[in-house]
Amino acid sequence: MSQGPDGEALTRAEERLAAALGRENATGALAADFAQDQANGDSPTLNDLFQLALERNSDIANAAQELNRADVARMNAIYGYLPQLSASATYSELEQEVVQTDNEVFAQGTANYPVTNLRVELTQPIFNLSRIFNIQLQNTARTVAEVEYIAAVQRATFDTFETYVTAAQSKAKIRSLRQRMSLIGRQISREGALTDIGLGTETLRNSYAAERASLAAEEAIETTRLAAALADLSFLTGSVVADVAPLSVPSGVLRSERGTSVEAGITAAEDNNPALLATAISVVEAELSRKQAIAADFAPVLDAFASYEDETREGSRFGGGSQTVDTTYGVRLTIPIFNARGQGYQAALESVDLRSAALEYFAIRRQLRAEIASTYARMSELSTAIGQSSAAASRASSNVTIEQDRLESGESVEVAVVSRQLAQSTARETLEFQRLEYLKAWGRYQFLTGASLNVDGL
């Protein structure tokens, strides 16, 4: 631990890594899309990042490789029922000495000669229940891989969506904080001028300054949140994301919970959520795996076989060499009786795995139902909050207009107008935050129910 890994071993490993990743093959081609982050515009839109995520997201790429692996495993399972042809060649030196015999012909001393064997063997499964179930198992596994690929696409798209909205929230809050700091700066300047002529107080001016400093600190914290969101977007999309375009909430999204219900959302999720569907099919896969194990443990196997063997002996105990050709063919029936493979019974383990798969399916379905109910309730509460915040923002705007009219008529002062504008900025910030928060909740509801995130105006 104090010295770290061996330097030479690390150097060799790095050289081998470079060689493996630099070959002109499918592995080497991955570097074009995944080795470096791709540059894009200064403020990419959400749809731009969706497209980049589909092309360069590593989770989606891994899911695609799992699908390729499932294809290969399915083909290998099919090969298990095709003819098996093999050839072998053996060269050996035989040294033979008769130690004891009651046959005078055999007692002719020793022999030393080479032997060459050429053998070709063909085996054709006729009935092998285990391999039949394995073909069905791998077909099901490929279906699972397909659904998991869809789930990976949906997850990457949702993560990109949610992170983008989070970045937009941070940008909106930073913009509001800077506007309020500017307004407080006007208050400080105005109070400073009044203090200079004896009509203001240094205490009030210091209070304004303290409030602006507090807002500046809040802005710094929000800037770090924006930077973290942009970094997450860069990872999700495999591109350099330095900023995001302004985001508005489409009118068709707001109050969308009124067009559905928790029960409808749960029904849609059970039909369309790919993660739940993949888990459900995994139960079927585990059941087929159990049947395949039972067949391997107990089912008889019938094979047809044929072999051709050419043996050349350069000598013998009797002096002369020989060449023999044997052709053998027939059928072989193998019946497992007890612990035939010397590894116990796999079926018992597969039964445990089947129960585990069923438990996982029930757990994910239960969690999905709870999350749908929670998200639906959040959308409903946010709709209520948006209505109240919209009314508050409208009244705050009216107050600014009234105060400005009073200022023009000489009935008010600029400090009062600035105070009204600060209240208006705060109300608008709250409203915009809640609208974007509703957009995130809507996106999660779409994700949970397996619906699309595409909507006009987004």
Side-chain angles (χ1 to χ4, degrees):
M1 291 180 62
S2 61
Q3 297 177 358
D6 179 69
E8 293 183 1
L10 286 179
T11 301
R12 288 194 300 269
E14 291 172 357
E15 292 173 351
R16 290 166 181 167
L17 174 64
L21 299 182
R23 293 192 180 98
E24 295 293 334
N25 56 15
T27 302
L30 295 175
D33 290 329
F34 299 99
Q36 301 292 334
D37 288 341
Q38 175 179 310
N40 53 49
D42 294 336
S43 300
T45 64
L46 182 56
N47 284 330
D48 293 336
L49 296 184
F50 277 163
Q51 186 61 37
L52 286 169
L54 292 175
E55 296 172 357
R56 300 170 61 84
N57 183 272
S58 57
D59 289 338
I60 295 177
N62 284 329
Q65 295 304 319
E66 288 298 321
L67 184 55
N68 292 338
R69 189 181 188 282
D71 275 331
V72 174
R74 183 176 65 89
M75 288 304 303
N76 287 342
I78 294 173
Y79 285 142
Y81 227 91
L82 296 180
Q84 304 160 29
L85 181 64
S86 62
S88 64
T90 305
Y91 176 84
S92 58
E93 287 285 341
L94 180 60
E95 294 184 2
Q96 193 173 57
E97 180 181 357
V98 178
V99 176
Q100 182 179 0
T101 180
D102 57 1
N103 189 319
E104 294 182 0
V105 177
F106 287 169
Q108 298 301 315
T110 62
N112 188 337
Y113 54 88
V115 180
T116 302
N117 291 83
L118 301 176
R119 181 180 178 84
V120 178
E121 186 170 4
L122 174 67
T123 302
Q124 171 62 61
I126 298 176
F127 177 79
N128 191 322
L129 194 58
S130 174
R131 294 186 180 183
I132 293 174
F133 277 126
N134 191 41
I135 294 173
Q136 298 177 7
L137 173 63
Q138 298 308 323
N139 283 330
T140 305
R142 190 189 187 283
T143 303
V144 173
E146 289 176 344
V147 178
E148 287 180 343
Y149 176 82
I150 297 171
V153 171
Q154 189 190 48
R155 166 59 69 179
T157 304
F158 169 69
D159 287 345
T160 301
F161 171 85
E162 188 174 49
T163 307
Y164 192 98
V165 177
T166 299
Q169 281 181 311
S170 293
K171 282 195 66 176
K173 186 170 184 178
I174 290 171
R175 185 170 58 250
S176 176
L177 290 171
R178 289 174 179 173
Q179 181 185 20
R180 285 155 62 187
M181 284 190 291
S182 177
L183 292 172
I184 292 175
R186 289 170 54 188
Q187 285 183 318
I188 293 173
S189 298
R190 181 64 178 172
E191 192 64 26
L194 292 175
T195 301
D196 291 340
I197 62 176
L199 298 178
T201 63
E202 191 66 28
T203 302
L204 185 57
R205 182 182 178 184
N206 289 338
S207 296
Y208 289 149
E211 184 177 356
R212 186 173 66 175
S214 178
L215 292 176
E218 191 173 350
E219 180 198 3
I221 293 174
E222 199 62 41
T223 301
T224 62
R225 291 175 180 165
L226 175 60
L230 295 177
D232 290 341
L233 281 175
S234 298
F235 172 75
L236 289 168
T237 61
S239 62
V240 178
V241 182
D243 200 0
V244 294
L247 183 63
S248 58
V249 182
S251 57
V253 169
L254 293 173
R255 301 181 183 86
S256 58
E257 80 280 355
R258 298 180 180 180
T260 183
S261 64
V262 174
E263 291 74 17
I266 291 174
T267 301
E270 291 178 347
D271 292 335
N272 303 317
N273 185 283
L276 181 63
L277 182 58
T279 308
I281 302 176
S282 294
V283 177
V284 179
E285 181 184 8
E287 170 64 11
L288 285 172
S289 183
R290 186 184 69 87
K291 291 180 178 180
Q292 189 264 341
I294 292 174
D297 288 339
F298 302 108
V301 175
L302 182 64
D303 295 324
F305 66 91
S307 66
Y308 170 87
E309 183 173 7
D310 185 323
E311 181 183 70
T312 301
R313 293 175 175 258
E314 300 297 334
S316 70
R317 286 181 295 177
F318 311 107
S322 65
Q323 180 180 5
T324 58
V325 174
D326 294 334
T327 301
T328 307
Y329 51 88
V331 293
R332 178 171 51 246
L333 177 64
T334 304
I335 302 176
I337 297 177
F338 175 75
N339 193 22
R341 293 179 295 176
Q343 298 177 350
Y345 294 98
Q346 186 67 22
L349 294 177
E350 296 298 338
S351 296
V352 176
D353 291 343
L354 173 60
R355 292 193 292 272
S356 296
L359 288 172
E360 183 179 4
Y361 169 72
F362 292 139
I364 290 180
R365 188 177 65 175
R366 186 169 61 249
Q367 179 185 11
L368 191 60
R369 289 174 175 175
E371 289 187 1
I372 288 174
S374 173
T375 304
Y376 182 87
R378 180 169 177 76
M379 292 169 66
S380 300
E381 294 301 327
L382 282 171
S383 289
T384 302
I386 289 171
Q388 297 296 327
S389 296
S390 180
S394 178
R395 293 189 181 95
S397 297
S398 298
N399 289 341
V400 170
T401 302
I402 294 171
E403 204 66 44
Q404 286 176 337
D405 293 341
R406 293 184 64 206
L407 176 64
E408 292 176 359
S409 64
E411 298 178 12
S412 183
V413 293
E414 186 179 356
V415 173
V417 174
V418 172
S419 178
R420 298 296 185 186
Q421 289 174 332
L422 282 170
Q424 180 191 37
S425 177
T426 302
R428 286 179 175 175
E429 177 193 327
T430 301
L431 176 60
E432 187 167 8
F433 178 85
Q434 290 174 348
R435 287 168 66 89
L436 290 175
E437 197 68 16
Y438 183 92
L439 182 60
K440 288 168 66 175
W442 171 84
R444 177 168 289 277
Y445 188 83
Q446 298 293 101
F447 167 70
L448 293 172
T449 57
S452 173
L453 290 173
N454 292 327
V455 64
D456 293 337
L458 185 60

